[in-house]
Amino acid sequence: MTTLENSVAILLWTITAWRAPKVWRQGKDRTLWWAFFGVSVTMTLRLPLGQDLDRSIGVVDLSFLLKHISGGVFGAAALLAFLRNVSGNNASGSWRARIRVALPITTATAMTALFAATSQPHEAEDLLTDYAQHGTILAYGIIFVAYLSTALFGAMRVCWRWGRDSGNGSLGWGLRLIGVGMASGVAYALHRIANLVTRYFGHTILGESLDHTTSTLFLVVAVMLILTGSTLPALTKIRSWSADRRNLLRLYPLWHRLTDAVPSVRLDPPRSRTVERLDPRNAHGRLYRRTIEIRDAALVLSDHAPAEIRAQAQSHVVASGLIGTQADTAVEACWLEVARRSRLRGEDPTNKHHRPAGGGRNLASEISALSQLSAAYHSDLTRSFAEATDPTRTLETQP
């Protein structure tokens, strides 16, 4: 079980660290970050590191108090506050809001007082188990578990209600997963309080070892489900970022060749494809800018593609057997390459009336249209047309 707890603790700290810059820079979702931070501390103190902390400070079993308060009291309160905020069910400024602030503080204060009033001659494997027959620890445990189960049950209700209203998207399913995690947390709390009461009278529910394993499983399942549910909406953003990055790289060759001929349309200096691939920042904004620059370059290059070139491109494509939209795209690719070569040779524009083919109605359809244009532009069909109409090659082949 220690290996699993280690993995969960590492994962929690990774998520907490990953969220920190955005949360503290933008000031959003701070309550959720505090919830992750509190649970991360709790899972860390469940490891042998907790006993090391007790020995270094010199207070026996202090790690138990810290982990119960950090995750079970303030972590649960922060998560419940986050869920109430996003569901629009947070009545700030009312007496209920003041109670929500006072209740975890009062709970933590009472637990600290009962902990200090308990004589603890040795380091415990489990505070609520080893000192179960002490009245102060019984009261400590009842207060702690009662608060935890109440908070988790309230959060579970918010999640299920809001998750049902949010539909079947990533947000809705994320909330449902958090709700299931809360249910596992409630089961953990109920098992703990039942175990606490039975141990006070000198008995166990499933046996000491099995009770500990069961309690740990409920806790780990709760943490993993809450973690998964809270990050599920972020997975949608990751998929969107991945698609934007993929399209950004796919359009790079077409963008680079066209804007080499019309560098004035570039907002920033060109970078190599390797640098583009390694830069993860603002993929959506860069992609949006790339589509604009491709169309702007095509608009300028259209002045270098007179009617006869366009007619020749049409005949060339029809002869290849293409029809419909594929043919239109291939025609545009053919005259674009001829126009690009013309501009790079320094020839003056010969046509001010034609314009490039229209793009998509939105960014998604524009990306699709430009991806098809890129594929056609780099095809043998376009290359053979450009070479056949290249006046420099014609001069070279004359005797």
Side-chain angles (χ1 to χ4, degrees), residues 158-387:
V158 172
C159 283
W160 278 107
R161 183 171 61 251
W162 193 38
R164 185 177 60 251
D165 296 339
S166 299
N168 292 320
S170 59
L171 178 60
W173 282 109
L175 286 167
R176 291 184 182 98
L177 280 177
I178 294 175
V180 176
M182 295 295 180
S184 181
V186 171
Y188 162 80
L190 294 177
H191 177 267
R192 289 294 281 172
I193 199 168
N195 190 44
L196 181 64
V197 173
T198 54
R199 281 186 174 276
Y200 180 76
F201 294 102
H203 304 288
T204 62
I205 301 175
L206 303 172
E208 184 173 342
S209 178
L210 192 55
D211 275 338
H212 177 74
T213 301
T214 302
S215 178
T216 300
L217 281 175
F218 277 136
L219 179 60
V220 169
V221 169
V223 170
M224 291 302 296
L225 287 174
I226 293 171
L227 185 64
T228 303
S230 62
T231 55
L232 194 59
L235 296 179
T236 302
K237 294 182 179 180
I238 292 174
R239 284 197 299 270
S240 178
W241 170 85
S242 179
D244 287 340
R245 180 178 176 276
R246 187 167 56 249
N247 289 321
L248 187 69
L249 295 174
R250 181 184 295 134
L251 294 179
Y252 178 86
L254 176 65
W255 168 83
H256 197 275
R257 287 182 69 82
L258 296 188
T259 58
D260 265 353
V262 194
S264 60
V265 302
R266 291 170 172 164
L267 179 64
D268 300 309
R271 304 187 299 179
S272 70
R273 190 165 187 171
T274 300
V275 174
E276 287 280 328
R277 187 182 299 276
L278 295 177
D279 186 358
R281 298 171 299 172
N282 193 23
H284 185 76
R286 288 157 58 200
L287 176 62
Y288 183 74
R289 180 66 199 177
R290 179 149 298 171
T291 62
I292 292 174
E293 291 180 356
I294 290 174
R295 286 303 182 188
D296 286 349
L299 183 63
V300 175
L301 291 175
S302 67
D303 294 341
H304 294 264
E308 57 269 23
I309 289 295
R310 295 172 188 259
Q312 291 175 28
Q314 182 74 37
S315 300
H316 180 73
V317 170
V318 170
S320 71
L322 294 178
I323 59 174
T325 304
Q326 281 187 313
D328 294 339
T329 302
V331 169
E332 184 180 9
C334 286
W335 66 252
L336 268 176
E337 175 59 9
V338 172
R340 187 187 75 86
R341 296 186 182 194
S342 171
R343 185 174 176 86
L344 287 175
R345 288 194 298 268
E347 298 174 359
D348 293 329
T350 56
N351 180 31
K352 293 288 187 179
H353 303 290
H354 289 286
R355 288 294 180 263
R361 294 185 300 273
N362 50 44
L363 183 59
S365 57
E366 176 72 334
I367 291 170
S368 177
L370 290 179
S371 296
Q372 296 173 31
L373 178 61
S374 180
Y377 183 87
H378 293 94
S379 67
D380 293 337
L381 183 67
T382 298
R383 190 177 301 108
S384 63
F385 175 76
E387 291 176 354

Side-chain angles (χ1 to χ4, degrees), residues 28-48:
K28 296 180 179 179
D29 298 340
R30 288 187 179 179
T31 50
L32 181 60
W33 186 87
W34 278 115
F36 274 115
F37 179 81
V39 177
S40 299
V41 171
T42 294
M43 293 304 298
T44 302
L45 293 177
R46 288 178 64 89
L47 305 175

Side-chain angles (χ1 to χ4, degrees), residues 38 41-42 45 53-54 57 61-74 111 115 140:
V41 171
T42 294
L45 293 177
L53 176 66
D54 295 341
I57 295 179
D61 294 333
L62 177 64
S63 59
F64 286 97
L65 176 66
L66 295 178
K67 74 180 182 181
H68 290 157
I69 289 178
S70 61
V73 178
F74 291 123
M111 289 170 59
F115 174 84
Y140 171 101

